Amino acid sequence: MAADPLPITTAADHDGDIVYPSAIPFLLVHLGCVAAIWSGVTWPSLALCIGLYWLRMFGVTAGYHRYFSHRSYATGRVFQFILALIAQSSAQRSVLWWAAKHRHHHLHSDTVRDVHSPRHTGFLYSHVGWIFARRHDATDLSRIADFARYPELAWLQRFEILPAFILAISCFLAAGWPGLVVGFFWSTVLVYHGTFMINSLAHVQGSRRYVTGDDSRNNPLLALITMGEGWHNNHHACPSSARQGFRWWEADMTFYLLRLLALVGIVRDLKAPPARVLSNEQQLGIRVVQRTAEQLAARFDPERIATAVAAALHAIDLSALQQSLAEARGRTVETLAGLNLPHLPSRADLLVQARAMFARTPSFDEIVDRGHALLFAAIGDHLLTAAPSRAIPARLQ
C-alpha cells in the first residue's frame, strides 16, 4: 500500500485548514431549506423529500459504504454505476473520494491519522469540518485502485456534482419550487447529517459489544435513521460484512434491501460475519491489540507513578535503578518487576482495569501484557530523568 500522505495532526492543527469557498455550496443548500417560507410545502414535495431521503440514504449505505468502501457484496457493472449515481446525487463528493477516505478511516480509526475522529479533532470537525479541509480535498486513487480503473466512475469523479444537479432540476420540473426546496434541499440536508452522525456521534454515544481498538459504538437510534449504519461497533468488528445488525432485533434496512436485490440476481455474494465474530470469540489482530493496549496504558499516569517511585527511594537506590534501566535496553518490564518497587501497578491491576473498560474478548491476555509493557516503558523513561524527592503523590492513576 502507498505511504500515508496525511501528516499526524491534533485538533489545534486544523485552525485555518477549512477551505471556506468550497463550503459555500454546502451552506447555500442549508439556507435553501428556509426558502420553504416562500415556496410553501405541498404534499407532492413532502413525498419527494421522504422518498429521496430513503433512496439516497440507501445510495450512501449500500453504495458509498458497503460496496465501494468495503466490497461487502458483488454486482454487475451496470448496477455498480447506478449505485454510484444514486450515491453522488446526495452531493457528498464522488464515490472514489468517499471510499478512499473511508478506507483511510478504517486503517487509522480514532488515531491521530484518522480523517474524522471526535477524540482528536473535536465533535464539530469530525461531523462536517473535515470535508472542507485542504488536507482532505484530494482523492488518493491508490486506496481505491480497484474501482478507479472503471472509466465511467472516473467520469463521475470529474463531474461529481452532476447527479445532484440533475436531481435538483428534476425535482423542480416534477413539483415546482416546493419540489426543489422541500423535495431536494430538505432531503439533501437530512441525508447529510444522517451520514455525518456516523462519523461523529457513533464514535461518542452508544454501547460497545466488541473490542475494536477505536471508539465505535452501537446506537439504535442512528441505526433507524441511517438504515442500519448505527450498528457501528458491529461494523468495525467486521468491516467486510454486508450485514451490520448482527442480532435479530438489530434492524438493518440496507441489508434487508440487499437481500431482496440478491433474490432477483441484481447483487450477489453478500458477505456475512464469521460465527466467531458473532459469538465474540475471535482473536484480535495485532493492530487492534496494540491500539487497545495503548488505551489501557493511558488510564494510568506514568509520570506520577515514576515520581512516586523516585520519592520512595533514597538517592543511592534511585541512581542504581536508573543505571539498571539504562542498561536494560528494551527489558524495562523485567527490570522494574524484578526489583519489587512500591507504587508500580501490577499486571492484575491492569487486568481489572481492562475488564472495566472493554467488552469480553479472548485477547485479554495479549492486551494486558502489551499494555503492561507500554506502561512500564513509559514509567522507565520518566524514572531515567527523575530526581529524589520526599513528596509522594497520593493519587497514581
Side-chain angles (χ1 to χ4, degrees):
M1 181 174 287
D4 189 347
L6 296 177
I8 295 175
T9 60
T10 61
D13 296 321
H14 298 287
D15 294 340
D17 190 43
I18 304 299
V19 183
Y20 292 99
S22 71
I24 290 175
F26 177 81
L27 295 174
L28 289 177
V29 170
H30 284 73
L31 290 174
C33 294
V34 183
I37 296 172
W38 297 279
S39 71
V41 179
T42 63
W43 287 112
S45 66
L46 278 176
L48 267 178
C49 177
I50 295 169
L52 288 177
Y53 174 83
W54 292 115
L55 175 65
R56 292 193 286 172
M57 183 58 75
F58 180 76
V60 170
T61 62
Y64 275 144
H65 191 206
R66 304 192 198 191
Y67 181 70
F68 289 104
S69 297
H70 295 292
R71 305 202 69 154
S72 64
Y73 61 93
T75 189
R77 194 161 168 179
V78 173
F79 190 67
Q80 172 181 282
F81 184 65
I82 292 172
L83 271 176
L85 283 174
I86 296 172
Q88 287 192 209
S89 72
S90 67
Q92 293 184 30
R93 305 286 300 265
S94 75
V95 293
L96 299 182
W97 181 90
W98 204 105
K101 297 302 179 188
H102 191 73
R103 290 179 181 185
H104 183 278
H105 161 67
H106 271 269
L107 188 63
H108 302 290
S109 185
D110 286 315
T111 70
V112 291
R113 291 189 183 275
D114 192 351
V115 293
H116 46 65
S117 172
R119 184 196 297 186
H120 298 285
T121 60
F123 185 88
L124 185 61
Y125 188 89
S126 70
H127 185 74
V128 66
W130 73 275
I131 298 170
F132 307 107
R134 291 181 180 88
R135 72 184 71 234
H136 303 312
D137 187 57
T139 303
D140 183 0
L141 295 179
S142 67
R143 293 193 183 278
I144 194 69
D146 48 337
F147 287 113
R149 64 190 178 91
Y150 292 103
E152 63 272 23
L153 298 183
W155 180 80
L156 282 176
Q157 170 80 4
R158 292 194 299 274
F159 302 99
E160 62 183 22
I161 201 64
L162 184 61
F165 181 78
I166 292 174
L167 180 61
I169 296 299
S170 300
C171 287
F172 176 76
L173 294 176
W177 286 108
L180 176 64
V181 174
V182 178
F184 179 77
F185 287 157
W186 283 20
S187 64
T188 299
V189 169
L190 290 171
V191 174
Y192 276 159
H193 294 287
T195 304
F196 301 163
M197 281 192 291
I198 301 301
N199 295 337
S200 55
L201 195 60
H203 282 254
V204 175
Q205 293 290 332
S207 61
R208 288 188 277 187
R209 177 182 297 144
Y210 300 100
V211 174
T212 55
D214 53 45
D215 297 330
S216 60
R217 286 164 163 80
N218 287 335
N219 189 307
L221 178 60
L222 290 184
L224 291 176
I225 293 171
T226 60
M227 302 180 72
E229 298 293 297
W231 308 117
H232 203 51
N233 183 243
N234 292 354
H235 169 61
H236 274 255
C238 188
S240 63
S241 174
R243 170 186 168 193
Q244 295 187 11
F246 289 175
R247 301 291 189 264
W248 66 267
W249 48 267
E250 293 176 341
D252 186 353
M253 287 304 300
T254 299
F255 179 67
Y256 304 153
L257 290 173
L258 288 173
R259 287 287 300 272
L260 288 175
L261 291 173
L263 288 176
V264 296
I266 294 177
V267 302
R268 62 186 185 278
D269 301 333
L270 273 66
K271 296 177 183 176
R276 293 186 68 83
V277 170
L278 292 176
S279 62
N280 212 349
E281 296 175 351
Q282 80 281 12
Q283 290 289 330
L284 302 180
I286 295 174
R287 183 185 290 115
V288 174
V289 169
Q290 175 68 19
R291 291 180 184 173
T292 309
E294 290 170 357
Q295 293 176 25
L296 175 60
R299 293 299 291 268
F300 297 81
D301 188 335
E303 183 176 6
R304 189 182 294 267
I305 295 170
T307 302
V309 171
L313 296 175
H314 297 294
I316 296 176
D317 295 331
L318 178 58
S319 297
L321 174 58
Q322 289 172 331
Q323 183 176 352
S324 297
L325 290 171
E327 295 172 353
R329 298 185 181 278
R331 291 179 285 106
T332 305
V333 175
E334 295 89 336
T335 301
L336 292 178
L339 295 175
N340 195 27
L341 294 168
H343 309 299
L344 287 174
S346 67
R347 185 186 184 281
D349 293 330
L350 269 75
L351 180 59
V352 170
Q353 188 68 249
R355 286 174 174 165
M357 291 174 63
F358 307 120
R360 176 175 60 89
T361 172
S363 299
F364 257 129
D365 285 340
E366 296 175 69
I367 292 169
V368 171
D369 288 340
R370 183 59 184 151
H372 197 222
L374 290 170
L375 176 59
F376 272 42
I379 294 171
D381 288 342
H382 288 295
L383 281 171
L384 283 171
T385 59
S389 172
R390 294 181 180 179
I392 302 177
R395 188 175 177 180
L396 300 180
Q397 73 180 64

